[in-house]
Amino acid sequence: MLWQIWGRVMAQTLERLTGRTDTMRSIRSIVRTMKTMSAINAMPYEQAAQAIEAYRETTLTGFHAFVQAYGPLPVAPDAVGTPVVIAFGSDHGLCGNYNEIVAQEVTRAVQAGVQTKVLCVGAQMEDALAGQGLYPETTLLPPANVDGLGRLASRLIAELDQMRTASKSGDIAVTLVFTRRAEHGLQRPVSIRLLPLDPELSAEFVHTPWTSRSLPHFNLPPEQLLSALTRSYLFAEMFRAAAEAMVTENAARLARMQQAERSVDDQLEELTAEMRSVRQSEITTELLDVIIGFEALKRRHKRKLPEDKR
């Protein structure tokens, strides 16, 4: 009776372990799919980040030509205008503390005691900012694909135009906060001053000689030309920041999925070893049942034999 109870317990344990193993294998399949999708999704955004560099370099060449023709760019003081911070985060989870790290960088970019407006990209980013006591003026959705990068950059420029119109001083000071790729596959949050234009940018153009044999010539008035160049520069910088944010978000998700895959594999090994042990115990129990049954039959057969044949 005891061996029969033990056998039923072994059968239930084996059934439970089999169910857990099947569940872990299903989870591993999902994790592997997520890992593959993260790797695939990052590639187009990485190509877009590289492609926008050509557009940005063209815009910088335009600034260089403007400086050669009209002199240094106008430099505004740092304190002018309403401070605006644009934070690029994620709209989906499974990327660890990605948004929390960006939110901490936003708090460092916000000047103490100065009322700052925050534009947020990503619902998860909005929650992370709320955890830091910051509440965005507007929350935008991240691009669903590479084509959405341009639309997002244009939407952000439109939001900045509205803020500049609503500002008492008629001007704003804009800072971009996003996560950028670093060396050795690492990532780090960065803050980039967007407006007013960096004085070092103008100084670099002043000290860099114009290499072409043809002097620059323009059809637009200087004010309109500078405005168009500035908008193109804003578009390029925000497009690049959004692309970098999407690349690093997918990279963070890929790293998390790799960790999850290793964890699932470790648990599968433990479950497999435990199942082997339970199966061995079940086989041993069945063998003992056979031996005990054989011995019982043997004793019963002995009792039925006459005394002289035992």
Side-chain angles (χ1 to χ4, degrees):
M1 178 65 70
L2 181 60
W3 287 110
Q4 291 176 353
I5 296 174
W6 177 253
R8 286 196 295 269
V9 171
M10 287 292 105
Q12 293 173 1
T13 302
L14 185 60
E15 183 179 355
R16 178 177 57 83
L17 289 173
T18 302
R20 288 180 59 189
T21 302
D22 292 341
T23 301
M24 294 305 297
R25 285 174 179 163
S26 299
I27 293 174
R28 189 184 188 281
S29 177
I30 295 172
V31 169
R32 189 173 184 82
T33 301
M34 291 294 297
K35 187 178 75 169
T36 303
M37 290 179 60
S38 298
I40 293 174
N41 289 339
M43 183 61 66
Y45 293 110
E46 185 174 359
Q47 293 173 348
Q50 295 172 355
I52 197 63
E53 284 295 332
Y55 182 88
R56 181 176 180 273
E57 289 299 323
T58 302
T59 304
L60 294 178
T61 302
F63 276 122
H64 191 189
F66 182 91
V67 170
Q68 291 295 319
Y70 301 113
L73 299 174
V75 178
D78 292 342
V80 69
T82 303
V84 179
V85 177
I86 303 176
F88 292 86
S90 72
D91 205 35
H92 304 287
L94 301 177
C95 52
N97 59 345
Y98 176 86
N99 294 288
E100 286 71 18
I101 292 175
V102 178
Q104 291 173 4
E105 184 66 22
V106 171
T107 59
R108 288 190 285 268
V110 173
Q111 301 177 17
V114 179
Q115 186 175 3
T116 303
K117 295 185 177 181
V118 178
L119 292 177
C120 168
V121 179
Q124 297 281 339
M125 187 72 249
E126 183 180 16
D127 293 339
L129 289 172
Q132 297 290 334
L134 299 173
Y135 300 95
E137 299 280 332
T138 305
T139 300
L140 304 177
L141 296 177
N145 50 45
V146 176
D147 295 336
L149 290 172
R151 291 192 292 270
L152 175 62
S154 299
R155 175 71 187 280
L156 287 171
I157 291 176
E159 291 287 340
L160 294 180
D161 286 340
Q162 293 179 5
M163 288 184 175
R164 183 166 55 247
T165 302
S167 175
K168 294 181 180 179
S169 62
D171 208 348
I172 53 177
V174 183
T175 302
L176 299 183
V177 180
F178 59 98
T179 304
R180 171 179 285 175
R181 289 167 291 174
E183 296 179 352
H184 309 296
L186 300 178
Q187 305 166 10
R188 59 184 178 86
V190 293
S191 300
I192 295 180
R193 169 178 167 173
L194 198 58
L195 287 176
L197 295 177
D198 192 346
E200 294 182 2
L201 191 66
S202 178
E204 181 181 353
F205 294 143
V206 170
H207 295 95
T208 302
W210 185 255
T211 56
S212 175
R213 290 179 293 180
S214 301
L215 294 176
H217 176 73
F218 312 103
N219 294 323
L220 289 175
E223 295 79 8
Q224 294 183 19
L225 177 60
L226 182 59
S227 176
L229 288 172
T230 302
R231 289 185 72 86
S232 296
Y233 177 73
L234 295 179
F235 179 86
E237 288 292 333
M238 283 191 268
F239 187 104
R240 184 176 66 166
E244 285 283 347
M246 294 302 298
V247 171
T248 53
E249 176 192 342
N250 282 284
R253 188 171 293 109
L254 175 61
R256 290 292 176 179
M257 292 301 102
Q258 288 174 335
Q259 294 176 4
E261 188 176 39
R262 287 194 294 268
S263 177
V264 170
D265 287 341
D266 292 341
Q267 293 188 45
L268 277 174
E269 288 182 5
E270 294 177 1
L271 287 171
T272 302
E274 191 173 353
M275 283 180 64
R276 288 173 181 168
S277 176
V278 171
R279 281 173 178 164
Q280 186 62 46
S281 299
E282 190 177 29
I283 292 171
T284 303
T285 302
E286 291 176 354
L287 289 174
L288 288 173
D289 285 343
V290 172
I291 294 171
I292 291 172
F294 176 76
E295 291 293 335
L297 289 173
K298 189 176 177 182
R299 286 194 297 270
R300 185 183 302 172
H301 182 66
K302 268 187 178 182
R303 284 197 299 267
K304 291 182 178 179
L305 289 176
E307 287 293 336
D308 57 343
K309 292 184 178 181
R310 290 184 182 180

